Amino acid sequence: VQLVESGGGSVQTGGSLRLSCAASGRTYTNWCMGWFRQVPGKEREGLATIDSKGRIAYADSVKGRFTISKDNVANILYLQMDDLKPEDSAAYRCAASWDVTANAALGRMTSPEFGYWGEGTQVTVS
């Protein structure tokens, strides 16, 4: 299984970006996928998840600004990020696992034991 993120970049405060995560290789119909971010020296932060039943969970820090969605045919996960702030600057990574609900995955995905991680895409907000 491979997860490849794209769509990061530099944007001004208040701007928007749309991240994508393409999944390839063996995939599972009961997958839960999500996004987390990491900044050197800080703990990883789970941001948003969507499970196989379409349930969605968001961290409070991004609720109302970020929107997660998934193209189940193309196996692509998206994160629409609006009203970006400097504190959103980070490496954004997608994650995938199975047999876990969106709420549970929000806290678990930042652990290496969760499942699969992508390499990440950098977002810089100034």
Side-chain angles (χ1 to χ4, degrees):
V1 175
Q2 294 176 329
L3 303 174
V4 180
E5 302 93 336
S6 60
S10 297
V11 65
Q12 292 187 338
T13 298
S16 298
L17 283 173
R18 189 193 196 201
L19 306 183
S20 300
C21 171
S24 61
R26 184 178 181 180
T27 57
Y28 302 87
T29 56
N30 59 339
W31 264 27
C32 178
M33 298 184 73
W35 293 92
F36 69 94
R37 63 189 177 192
Q38 61 184 78
V39 176
K42 294 186 177 182
E43 289 188 2
R44 302 182 190 101
E45 180 186 13
L47 302 175
T49 52
I50 181 167
D51 64 25
S52 59
K53 295 187 178 181
R55 293 171 294 202
I56 291 174
Y58 292 104
D60 288 342
S61 59
V62 303
K63 197 173 294 183
R65 299 189 299 124
F66 290 9
T67 303
I68 190 170
S69 61
K70 187 172 180 287
D71 183 330
N72 290 316
V73 175
N75 283 324
I76 300 176
L77 181 72
Y78 299 101
L79 186 68
Q80 176 67 39
M81 305 187 297
D82 298 317
D83 190 24
L84 284 162
K85 306 174 182 180
E87 52 265 40
D88 293 319
S89 297
Y92 283 71
R93 303 177 73 172
C94 68
S97 189
W98 53 93
D99 291 336
V100 60
T101 65
N103 279 331
L106 194 61
R108 296 180 191 175
M109 74 164 81
T110 55
S111 168
E113 292 75 31
F114 177 72
Y116 300 95
W117 285 358
E119 291 298 316
T121 184
Q122 182 67 35
V123 171
T124 302
V125 185
S126 59

